[in-house]
């Protein structure tokens, strides 16, 4: 009998995550760029932070859930803004997330050697699988490979970002970086999806999307 794995449907995942990415990641960048020329570096930093804090406060005030991505982005933005304003250096402001990206890559790498792939923990945070699917050995192997892949792309991303920061203007850096980050993420997820599809097919395992058979495993 052919075995099956139940995974969240791509439409459900996209519908759930896209608004959070726009609010938590894209809009602060848009606000910063918009205020950079008319208000200067300090004004742009404060405006971007004000946007993020405003989102958090508004959601709290109206009793709505604050997505983890928005909250983490706000905390990181606050730390970077305070550091940049204290040192008066825009390079420091952009260097902090580059260091964070490198540390994230090392964390993914270390988690594999510890036998606890970080990709698996993150996947369960956003899209919990049912017990039978979570314990499938193929899924465990996939998360280990995904963690290694994410470690590699994160370290390459950090190295390229550092090079851009030290050699390009702020405007050029922001434009390239705004495309480079999502491109690395898309490439990582794309390669992971191809690998997962190939090996599940090779192992005779059929994939079923939760959105079509079981709503209980859809992201919440």
């Amino acid at each position: 009998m052919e075995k099956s794995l139940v995974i969240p449907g791509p439409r459900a995942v996209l519908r759930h995550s896209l608004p959070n990415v726009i609010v938590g990641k894209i809009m602060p960048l848009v606000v910063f760029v918009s205020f950079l020329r008319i208000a200067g570096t300090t004004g742009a930093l404060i405006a971007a932070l004000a946007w993020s804090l405003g989102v958090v406060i508004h959601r709290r005030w109206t009793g709505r859930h604050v997505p983890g991505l928005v909250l983490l982005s706000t905390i990181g933005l606050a730390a970077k803004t305070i550091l940049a304003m204290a040192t008066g250096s825009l390079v420091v402001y952009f260097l902090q997330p580059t260091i964070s990206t490198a540390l994230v890559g090392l964390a993914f790498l270390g988690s594999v050697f510890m036998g606890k792939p970080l990709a698996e923990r993150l996947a369960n945070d956003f899209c919990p699988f049912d017990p039978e699917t979570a314990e499938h050995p193929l899924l465990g192997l996939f998360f280990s490979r995904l963690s290694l892949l994410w470690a590699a792309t994160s370290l390459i991303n950090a190295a390229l970002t550092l090079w851009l920061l030290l050699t390009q203007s702020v405007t050029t850096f922001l434009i390239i970086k705004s495309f480079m980050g999502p491109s690395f993420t898309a490439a990582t997820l794309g390669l992971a999806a191809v690998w997962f599809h190939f090996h599940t097919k090779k192992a005779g395992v059929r994939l079923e999307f939760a959105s079509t058979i079981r709503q209980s495993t859809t992201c919440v």
Side-chain angles (χ1 to χ4, degrees), residues 153-176:
T153 55
S154 294
L155 293 175
I156 294 174
N157 187 0
L160 289 176
T161 300
L162 180 61
W163 177 79
L164 287 171
L165 181 60
L166 297 177
T167 60
Q168 304 298 319
S169 65
V170 173
T171 302
T172 301
F173 170 80
L174 286 174
I175 293 175
I176 297 178

Side-chain angles (χ1 to χ4, degrees), residues 125-139:
D125 285 342
F126 291 96
C127 302
F129 300 97
D130 60 60
E132 183 179 357
T133 299
E135 295 174 2
H136 198 287
L138 185 60
L139 197 63

Side-chain angles (χ1 to χ4, degrees), residues 169-215:
S169 65
V170 173
T171 302
T172 301
F173 170 80
L174 286 174
I175 293 175
I176 297 178
K177 180 59 179 175
S178 64
F179 287 100
M180 189 172 71
S183 296
F184 269 96
T185 300
T188 302
L189 295 178
L191 289 173
V194 171
W195 181 91
F196 190 55
H197 176 73
F198 173 78
H199 281 276
T200 51
K201 186 176 181 179
K202 183 179 179 180
V205 176
R206 181 168 55 90
L207 297 179
E208 296 181 0
F209 291 104
S211 59
T212 61
I213 57 175
R214 288 182 59 184
Q215 296 298 324

Side-chain angles (χ1 to χ4, degrees), residues 41-42 45 79-96:
T41 301
T42 301
L45 293 175
K80 289 182 290 184
T81 301
I82 294 173
L83 184 61
M85 293 180 66
T87 60
S89 173
L90 190 61
V91 173
V92 174
Y93 175 81
F94 291 113
L95 184 60
Q96 192 274 342

